[in-house]
Amino acid sequence: VALLGRFLRGSRPAVGCLAHVEDAGIPVVRSDDEAIGSLAARYFLERGFERFVYDCMEDRSLAARLRWQGFSAAVGAAGFAARRRRSAAADLASPGSASLPEGGPVAVFAGHDAVARELAREMIRQGIAIPDQVALLGVDDDDLQCLAGRPELSSIAIPYEEIGWQAACLLDGLLAGRRRPAARATSEKAPSAP
């Protein structure tokens, strides 16, 4: 963030590609995080789940909040409720509000693949069966996180190439003297289902 601040103090045009720079005052091209949350909910609902958890651990970014909003809204529209966890993976099976819902298989949507991998490790350590007791779904489709460990993880793919292309086109326009867009630019391409 400090490096970004120094860069922005100059007069060079800039375009961001992450929700983390939304407050920097520059145009941002990024995925539709609410749509990602909604897609995750539909994925689980189509498979008959009735218990839902969104886990972003300590991530308090705009992307994490929007993914939760999309997920909880879609789950709620189907007549169910989603629980949000922000605890460490080690607190997974502890009693209280941080625990997983009881009474059948649980669908857990992780805010990122790294969160899903950490949850998977802790579930295995605690004897929680994946996917029999808990189904995990991440975001980013990161091969290292999804394929390198056991079990392999399902994930929503983000259209990073499309986001990069749109950001480059926007930056090219700014460099050519075209006006900066008034609203945040967001990738129109939908994320891919697992």
Side-chain angles (χ1 to χ4, degrees):
V1 174
L3 180 61
L4 178 63
R6 276 185 277 163
F7 180 82
L8 293 176
R9 281 194 284 278
S11 59
R12 296 168 289 241
V15 174
C17 293
L18 297 170
H20 299 60
V21 296
E22 291 276 327
D23 296 334
I26 60 174
V28 177
V29 180
R30 61 179 186 77
S31 57
D32 182 339
D33 291 300
E34 244 180 296
I36 289 169
S38 180
L39 180 66
R42 288 193 316 269
Y43 175 80
F44 288 133
L45 288 163
E46 289 169 2
R47 284 152 183 79
F49 285 91
E50 297 181 357
R51 290 169 185 78
F52 304 90
V53 173
Y54 173 70
D55 198 319
C56 61
M57 290 193 189
E58 299 301 318
D59 185 356
R60 300 203 187 299
S61 69
L62 176 62
R65 288 192 309 270
L66 291 173
R67 289 174 186 176
W68 161 246
Q69 287 174 11
F71 185 69
S72 61
V75 165
F80 300 102
R83 180 180 294 173
R84 184 173 182 177
R85 276 183 28 91
R86 290 187 190 155
S87 305
D91 297 332
L92 196 60
S94 65
S97 62
S99 66
L100 294 172
E102 295 184 19
V106 178
V108 176
F109 173 43
H112 297 281
D113 289 339
V115 172
R117 176 54 59 205
E118 177 127 359
L119 289 170
R121 275 191 215 104
E122 187 59 28
M123 286 178 198
I124 290 167
R125 193 183 75 70
Q126 293 184 25
I128 299 170
I130 303 167
D132 299 328
Q133 291 175 282
V134 175
L136 275 172
L137 176 62
V139 177
D140 292 325
D141 202 25
D142 180 336
D143 285 347
L144 182 63
Q145 297 291 347
C146 294
L147 304 177
R150 293 289 173 251
E152 290 186 5
L153 300 174
S154 296
S155 182
I156 296 173
I158 304 293
Y160 288 117
E161 287 184 21
E162 176 69 19
I163 290 168
W165 174 256
Q166 287 187 26
C169 289
L170 181 56
L171 182 59
D172 182 60
L174 292 173
L175 290 169
R178 288 194 284 281
R179 288 190 130 183
R180 185 176 141 172
R184 174 182 80 229
T186 303
S187 174
E188 297 301 320
K189 187 173 179 182
S192 301

